[in-house]
Amino acid sequence: NNMYQTVSRTAVTTGVTQSGITINNTQASAGSYTITGNNIGGGAPSAAGTAWTVAGNLSNIFTGINILAVNTAGVNTIQGNTITNFNWNTQPAAAATVWMGINLAAGNATIGSSGNPNTIGTTSGIDAIVVTNNIDANNITGINATSTGTVSIGYNTIGGISATGVAGIGTIVRGINTAGAAGAYTIQNNTIGSTTIANNMRSGTIGVTTANS
């Protein structure tokens, strides 16, 4: 599947969460979900073209793949997806997470594998995902997992993420964030950032930002 936005949009309603794919189904008959081979972002298929742009400076959130609730007996597979080419403007409450590539709030899951990783942004350039915030410090996360299930996060590539805004705003940029205290997590062989591209993961603007991030 290809999910993209052909023209720039200006937000007119605050408190909205946009997602490429959302799963919210706890019925026993739901079984396990396989989410693979999707391109989310940009203005054309394969996340190409101009960036998926949302202006307007309202308190809105984007999540590429959003797993909110699932049947906890199964194992969900999230592999081989590409989420990139975004220009997201927001004015969130302090400490809000305003952009996530993949969010796992519940269930057991395999997120990425050695032969089929997820790609969020790019490790071969800069500004594949640009988030602008001019109000309060917030969070940007490539893969976020708060599930209390059994979760494997491996072999994914995350990079090209830039947080910008006014000088006094410091934004936290995380490659992978986990907060499921009762869960069983295996996190291995992921690539976050770049060893060859300067400023591949960037919080703030050089010479402008004064706040800590």
Side-chain angles (χ1 to χ4, degrees), residues 24-39:
N24 191 358
N25 186 356
T26 59
Q27 294 183 20
S29 59
S32 302
Y33 290 92
T34 298
I35 303 171
T36 186
N38 300 286
N39 298 300

Side-chain angles (χ1 to χ4, degrees), residues 3 17-25 33 35 38 40 61-70 78 101 103 105:
M3 284 147 274
T17 297
Q18 289 188 19
S19 298
I21 297 171
T22 297
I23 303 295
N24 191 358
N25 186 356
Y33 290 92
I35 303 171
N38 300 286
I40 303 172
I61 296 170
F62 180 85
T63 305
I65 298 172
N66 201 12
I67 312 299
L68 297 175
V70 292
I78 307 165
N103 180 51

Side-chain angles (χ1 to χ4, degrees), residues 33-189:
Y33 290 92
T34 298
I35 303 171
T36 186
N38 300 286
N39 298 300
I40 303 172
S46 300
T50 57
W52 179 324
T53 299
V54 173
N57 292 326
L58 296 177
S59 181
N60 295 323
I61 296 170
F62 180 85
T63 305
I65 298 172
N66 201 12
I67 312 299
L68 297 175
V70 292
N71 174 11
T72 57
V75 178
N76 303 283
T77 301
I78 307 165
Q79 296 179 349
N81 302 287
T82 297
I83 305 168
T84 190
N85 201 3
F86 281 87
N87 187 346
W88 190 261
N89 292 268
T90 185
Q91 290 188 349
T97 299
V98 297
W99 197 100
M100 292 180 283
I102 297 171
N103 180 51
L104 179 72
N108 308 308
T110 298
I111 303 175
S113 66
S114 60
N116 207 14
N118 298 290
T119 300
I120 300 171
T122 181
T123 57
S124 60
I126 63 171
D127 296 342
I129 298 164
V130 178
V131 180
T132 301
N133 164 39
N134 291 316
I135 293 294
D136 284 303
N138 59 64
N139 304 313
I140 303 166
T141 305
I143 297 174
N144 187 64
T146 56
S147 171
T148 57
T150 300
V151 180
S152 172
I153 304 173
Y155 302 93
N156 304 287
T157 60
I158 302 168
I161 300 175
S162 299
T164 67
V166 297
I169 299 297
T171 296
I172 297 171
V173 177
R174 297 185 175 104
I176 298 172
N177 179 62
T178 63
Y185 282 78
T186 301
I187 303 172
Q188 61 182 354
N189 297 312

